[in-house]
């Protein structure tokens, strides 16, 4: 279990060998501070620890405890001890505790708790072998007597606990208390549910009073343990480097200025750093396509290879540098601890539109991908704020939109500097991201009046200390995200590219004679595009863009693969040596005017900023809200908003 709630929002698993004959499956559960869950992610952990998750049974718990915040972490530790689950404490952040002047008697802490305590530093891979040895030793002692109760739980509700244990033999006193408090959330048989309810009524079991008494007793004993095992300096004597930085980064004026500068540098860097490798990849594919087109014989299979498979592949790989750089920079912000400050800084603004600071983390994660971002909204206790966050998160410009923005900005925005230092293309890129953010705020403000859920909201956030980024972690993240983009998105793009090649190469009016442009218009894809063209013509789009809009509903990044395939088929041999950007720049309408003017390009970028074009996002919204109502509402409002905004932009700029 992690230290910071919200870091993990679902179960994650891995495996390791503790010894030559001991193999363990490690399940990472969402972090929490107590066994009284409020958020959806806390319920995941709670049900596993109470043996109410049918898929997971915890044989042992390795609890990560922050040494620099020991008092708060020991509450959760004491509760797990009283569940009678074997537990090993992995004491982290000892270096930070040392900087704060905190000294911990680890052996004394072990004696007081009655469980093993191991010092670890996962960032530097220290203490992990010792932790494995302790866990392996603990597995061989599983049937020995468990540690004594941390507090006298039986005395909290003796009669009720005894009756529950008659229904559920072998459960601990503390487990019985939780059965009484949360049995409605457990998958008990109807007869057992009725039995627990009768016990509650017979003993007049008061949940709130029992919980309050328990917490007070636990903190009383924790205070005693801390006095015996922990030495802390006077908090007024030392101001950490983190606190000095926070005075600047969380300042009401400078904090927002620094945030805007950070975002500006982020998007400038994505464009500037990725430009050279992207040009190199684009040039390489155009040369390979030209060579294959000139070398291979004229046949359907060579056409498929060059204009279908190769064109689709180029539409994937050319954007890998930007994907890697974006995720690398976001990981740096997370590793340094600045990302959590953004949540704290924006809480006041979020509340004005019906959200709170916890909504910021899913929204920022949405810049990478909306699917895990929406799942991370489980960290929000308030149901209305969680639902609003889910509804607006797809408006954040995810990495799938990045290829679309890049190709369109390169087509219609000149590569020049503003004020001699700011790249115009980078400014436009930042503007697109900010447009999504501003529209999300507006939508949330409007939607909060229609979602009638009244629930008190609060915002408590643990701010991690500032640290140097883990460069190996950043490199691994960049490689993994690139791999995921190429394998997951790449499969969809390649399949759709091949289907599009077939639809673009064959049709009722297609013959072997005639030019490529005419054959494309008479193909199945051409007929489909012509059908929808009247609907999208007011936005400045032609029928080829219409086909790309349709295919993009599978995944936004398919737009580039679609364009690559359509223009490869249309250009024939002449297009083999051109890059995709060159083909699109030379595209003409029937009257001879360019297709991709400033008005059309801006209209199309705005459409992709605002439209819901991701089947995976709709599926995860359905799973998180347990209803098709909200995904349908998202599709309707986002598509309508995108059409209206694109229409206005085109009519103003044409």
């Amino acid at each position: 279990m992690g230290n910071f709630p919200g870091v993990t929002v679902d179960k994650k698993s891995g495996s390791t060998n503790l010894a030559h004959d001991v193999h363990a499956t490690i399940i990472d559960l969402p972090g929490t501070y107590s066994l009284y869950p409020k958020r959806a992610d806390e319920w995941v952990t709670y049900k596993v620890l109470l043996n109410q998750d049918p898929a997971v049974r915890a044989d042992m718990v390795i609890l990560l405890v922050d040494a620099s915040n020991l008092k708060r972490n020991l509450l959760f530790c004491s509760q797990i001890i009283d569940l009678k689950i074997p537990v090993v404490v992995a004491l982290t952040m000892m270096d930070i505790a040392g900087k704060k002047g905190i000294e911990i008697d680890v052996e004394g802490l072990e004696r007081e708790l009655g469980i093993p305590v191991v010092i670890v530093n996962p960032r530097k891979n220290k203490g992990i072998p010792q932790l494995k040895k302790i866990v392996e030793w603990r597995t061989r002692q599983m049937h020995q007597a468990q540690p004594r109760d941390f507090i006298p739980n039986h005395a909290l509700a003796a009669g009720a606990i005894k009756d529950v244990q008659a229904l559920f033999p072998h459960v601990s006193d503390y487990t019985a208390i939780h059965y009484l408090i949360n049995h409605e959330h457990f998958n008990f048989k109807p007869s057992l549910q009725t039995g627990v309810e009768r016990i509650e009524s017979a003993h007049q079991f008061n949940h709130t009073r029992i919980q309050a008494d328990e917490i007070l007793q636990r903190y009383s004993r924790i205070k005693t343990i801390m006095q015996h095992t922990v030495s802390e300096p006077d908090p007024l004597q030392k101001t950490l480097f983190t606190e000095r930085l926070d005075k600047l980064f969380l300042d009401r004026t400078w904090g927002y200025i620094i945030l805007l500068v950070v975002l500006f540098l982020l998007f400038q860097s994505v464009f500037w750093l990725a430009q050279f490798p992207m040009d190199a990849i684009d040039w390489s594919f155009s040369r390979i396509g030209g060579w294959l087109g000139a070398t291979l014989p004229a046949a359907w299979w060579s056409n498929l290879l060059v204009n279908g498979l190769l064109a689709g592949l180029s539409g994937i790989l050319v954007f890998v540098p930007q994907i890697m750089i974006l995720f690398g920079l976001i990981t740096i912000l997370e590793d340094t601890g600045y990302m959590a400050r953004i949540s704290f800084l924006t809480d006041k603004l979020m509340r004005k539109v019906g959200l709170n600071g916890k909504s910021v983390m899913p929204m920022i994660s949405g810049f990478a991908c909306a699917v895990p971002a929406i799942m991370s909204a489980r960290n929000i206790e308030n149901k209305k704020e969680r639902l609003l966050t889910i509804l607006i998160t797809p408006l954040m410009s995810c990495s799938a939109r990045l290829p679309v923005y890049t190709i369109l900005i390169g087509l219609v925005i000149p590569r020049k500097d503003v004020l001699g230092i700011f790249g115009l293309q980078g400014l436009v890129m930042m503007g697109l991201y900010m447009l999504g953010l501003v529209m999300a705020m507006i939508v949330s403000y409007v939607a909060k009046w229609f979602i009638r859920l009244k629930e008190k909201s609060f915002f408590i956030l643990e701010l991690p200390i500032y640290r140097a980024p883990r460069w190996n972690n950043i490199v691994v993240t960049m490689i993994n995200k690139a791999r995921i983009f190429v394998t997951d998105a790449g499969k969809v793009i390649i399949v759709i590219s091949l289907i599009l090649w077939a639809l673009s190469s064959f049709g009722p009016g297609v013959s072997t004679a005639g030019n490529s442009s005419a054959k494309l218009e008479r193909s199945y894809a051409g007929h489909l595009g012509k059908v929808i063209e009247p609907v999208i013509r007011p936005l400045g789009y032609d029928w080829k863009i219409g086909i790309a809009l349709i295919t993009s509903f599978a995944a936004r990044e398919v737009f580039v693969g679609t364009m690559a395939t359509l223009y490869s088929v249309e250009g024939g041999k002449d297009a083999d040596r051109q890059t995709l950007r060159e083909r699109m720049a030379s595209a003409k309408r029937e009257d001879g005017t360019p297709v991709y003017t400033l008005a059309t390009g801006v209209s199309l970028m705005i459409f992709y900023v605002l439209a819901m074009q991701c089947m995976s996002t709709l599926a995860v919204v359905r799973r998180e809200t347990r209803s098709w109502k909200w995904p349908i509402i998202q599709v309707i409002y986002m598509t309508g908003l995108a059409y209206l905004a694109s229409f206005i932009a085109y009519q103003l700029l044409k």
Side-chain angles (χ1 to χ4, degrees):
M1 291 172 212
N3 300 73
F4 298 105
V7 172
T8 308
V9 295
D10 209 341
K11 300 186 291 287
K12 297 180 181 179
S13 62
S15 60
T16 186
N17 289 318
L18 300 174
H20 70 278
D21 59 340
V22 181
H23 182 77
T25 299
I26 311 296
I27 300 173
D28 179 23
L29 298 175
T32 181
Y33 290 133
S34 79
L35 275 180
Y36 291 101
K38 291 183 175 64
R39 305 187 307 264
D41 60 329
E42 290 178 335
W43 277 102
V44 173
T45 299
Y46 181 71
K47 288 191 174 183
V48 169
L49 294 178
L50 269 293
N51 285 326
Q52 297 303 313
D53 188 326
V56 179
R57 182 177 178 84
D59 297 312
M60 183 183 301
V61 172
I62 301 172
L63 182 64
L64 299 182
V65 171
D66 182 355
S68 62
N69 288 300
L70 190 59
K71 182 178 180 180
R72 185 188 54 228
N73 283 255
L74 285 181
L75 172 66
F76 188 40
C77 178
S78 71
Q79 291 174 321
I80 296 177
I81 289 171
D82 286 350
L83 290 177
K84 302 306 177 187
I85 302 174
V87 59
V88 175
V89 168
L91 203 58
T92 66
M93 308 283 189
M94 282 294 285
D95 53 338
I96 308 305
K99 291 178 181 178
K100 288 184 175 182
I102 299 172
E103 296 179 2
I104 300 175
D105 177 5
V106 177
E107 292 183 358
L109 190 61
E110 279 189 332
R111 287 193 302 271
E112 292 285 351
L113 297 176
I115 57 175
V117 179
V118 185
I119 298 174
V120 298
N121 188 338
R123 291 171 64 94
K124 298 181 179 179
N125 204 31
K126 292 182 178 178
I128 305 301
Q130 293 87 333
L131 178 61
K132 283 187 173 183
K133 286 182 181 179
I134 291 294
V135 172
E136 187 261 334
W137 169 81
R138 196 75 177 85
T139 58
R140 302 185 191 280
Q141 315 294 323
M142 295 281 278
H143 301 294
Q144 291 190 1
Q146 297 296 325
R148 64 189 181 280
D149 276 357
F150 192 82
I151 61 170
N153 295 288
H154 193 78
L156 292 171
I161 290 172
K162 182 179 178 182
D163 289 349
V164 169
Q165 288 174 330
L167 286 176
F168 301 92
H170 311 301
V171 301
S172 69
D173 293 344
Y174 190 54
T175 303
I177 290 174
H178 279 273
Y179 281 9
L180 286 161
I181 293 174
N182 284 318
H183 62 90
E184 299 92 344
H185 300 279
F186 298 158
N187 293 321
F188 292 152
K189 295 178 180 177
S191 59
L192 293 176
Q193 289 282 12
T194 303
V196 175
E197 287 171 4
R198 285 174 180 168
I199 293 169
E200 280 187 278
S201 178
H203 293 276
Q204 296 182 340
F205 186 82
N206 187 316
H207 300 190
T208 306
R209 182 183 61 79
I210 296 296
Q211 181 179 343
D213 288 348
E214 175 211 337
I215 299 300
L216 287 173
Q217 289 186 41
R218 290 190 186 280
Y219 271 125
S220 176
R221 180 150 186 237
I222 289 170
K223 182 179 179 181
T224 302
I225 292 174
M226 295 280 289
Q227 289 172 343
H228 292 162
T229 61
V230 180
S231 172
E232 295 182 283
D234 186 338
L236 298 177
Q237 290 179 353
K238 192 170 183 179
T239 301
L240 285 178
F241 176 65
T242 291
E243 294 167 357
R244 293 197 295 270
L245 279 180
D246 277 341
K247 287 181 180 178
L248 176 64
F249 289 150
L250 300 181
D251 183 82
R252 291 186 178 182
T253 303
W254 285 106
Y256 289 103
I257 294 173
I258 292 170
L259 174 58
L260 289 174
V261 170
V262 167
L263 292 176
F264 171 76
L265 292 176
L266 176 72
F267 298 121
Q268 285 286 327
S269 299
V270 166
F271 238 94
W272 176 64
L273 294 175
Q275 190 63 54
F276 299 106
M278 287 180 68
D279 287 344
I281 294 171
D282 214 5
W283 179 85
S284 300
F285 271 99
S286 67
R287 291 297 175 270
I288 293 171
W291 178 79
L292 288 175
T295 305
L296 297 176
W300 70 267
W301 59 268
S302 62
N303 193 344
L304 171 63
L305 176 64
V306 176
N307 297 324
L309 186 61
L310 192 66
L313 195 60
S314 68
I316 302 167
L317 297 182
V318 73
F319 298 105
V320 167
Q322 281 193 324
I323 299 294
M324 294 180 71
I325 290 168
L326 177 64
F327 278 101
L329 294 174
I330 289 175
T331 305
I332 289 174
L333 293 180
E334 290 176 346
D335 260 14
T336 55
Y338 184 69
M339 195 72 86
R341 270 75 186 176
I342 297 176
S343 294
F344 183 83
L345 195 63
T346 54
D347 177 58
K348 189 174 181 180
L349 173 63
M350 294 291 109
R351 288 188 180 280
K352 291 180 179 178
V353 297
L355 307 171
N356 78 18
K358 287 185 179 177
S359 302
V360 174
M361 296 305 290
M363 291 169 70
I364 292 175
S365 300
F367 286 136
C369 179
V371 172
I374 288 169
M375 291 175 63
S376 70
R378 297 175 185 177
N379 192 39
I380 303 169
E381 297 93 339
N382 186 286
K383 291 180 181 178
K384 179 176 180 178
E385 291 170 354
R386 179 170 179 257
L387 182 56
L388 282 172
T389 304
I390 289 172
L391 287 177
I392 66 169
T393 294
L395 286 168
M396 302 297 102
S397 289
C398 64
S399 58
R401 290 175 169 104
L402 194 59
V404 183
Y405 295 166
T406 303
I407 195 75
L408 292 174
I409 288 173
L411 276 172
V412 302
I413 306 298
R415 190 183 296 182
K416 65 178 184 179
D417 293 336
V418 177
L419 301 177
I421 53 173
F422 304 124
L424 179 59
Q425 292 184 334
L427 287 172
V428 172
M429 176 75 82
M430 182 178 177
L432 294 173
Y433 278 79
M434 294 305 295
L435 174 62
L437 183 60
V438 170
M439 291 306 301
M441 298 292 100
I442 295 172
V443 169
S444 179
Y445 181 79
V446 173
K448 76 174 183 177
W449 302 106
F450 296 95
I451 300 176
R452 302 186 180 278
L453 288 174
K454 292 185 178 180
E455 193 176 341
K456 287 186 178 180
S457 172
F458 58 91
F459 179 50
I460 301 173
L461 177 68
E462 179 177 355
L463 294 177
I465 66 160
Y466 292 103
R467 290 182 171 220
R470 295 170 291 177
W471 297 109
N472 60 334
N473 179 52
I474 292 167
V475 172
V476 169
T477 301
M478 292 170 70
I479 294 172
N480 285 340
K481 296 302 182 182
R483 179 181 54 80
I484 290 170
F485 176 75
V486 171
T487 55
D488 293 0
K491 291 174 186 175
V492 177
I493 293 172
I494 289 294
V495 169
I496 290 179
S497 295
L498 295 177
I499 293 172
L500 265 177
W501 172 85
L503 292 175
S504 305
S505 301
F506 304 101
V510 175
S511 64
T512 54
N515 63 58
S516 299
S517 180
K519 286 193 287 187
L520 178 61
E521 287 199 41
R522 291 195 295 269
S523 68
Y524 291 116
H527 285 294
L528 177 62
K530 294 293 184 181
V531 169
I532 65 172
E533 191 173 23
V535 179
I536 59 175
R537 190 180 294 118
L539 308 183
Y541 310 157
D542 67 354
W543 62 271
K544 296 187 193 71
I545 296 175
I547 294 174
L549 292 179
I550 293 173
T551 58
S552 294
F553 275 94
R556 296 178 181 95
E557 60 269 37
V558 172
F559 171 86
V560 179
T562 301
M563 291 287 101
T565 302
L566 289 176
Y567 283 109
S568 292
V569 171
E570 182 181 45
K573 294 275 186 182
D574 297 333
D576 293 343
R577 293 188 180 276
Q578 291 182 303
T579 65
L580 174 59
R581 189 174 300 172
E582 291 169 343
R583 296 174 209 164
M584 293 176 71
S586 60
K588 304 290 183 184
R589 299 183 190 272
E590 291 179 357
D591 60 3
T593 59
V595 173
Y596 294 96
T597 61
L598 176 64
T600 300
V602 171
S603 171
L604 194 50
M605 284 187 276
I606 290 175
F607 189 90
Y608 273 88
V609 169
L610 302 176
M612 167 61 87
Q613 293 171 294
C614 182
M615 294 298 181
S616 299
T617 301
L618 291 173
V620 80
V621 171
R622 159 67 180 85
R623 190 181 75 177
E624 293 297 307
T625 60
R626 300 180 182 179
S627 168
W628 279 110
K629 171 185 174 182
W630 299 110
I632 291 170
I633 288 174
Q634 273 184 317
V635 171
I636 293 172
Y637 98 76
M638 290 181 69
T639 305
L641 190 62
Y643 191 95
L644 179 62
S646 299
F647 174 80
I648 293 171
Y650 179 72
Q651 297 302 322
L652 290 176
L653 294 174
K654 71 177 183 178

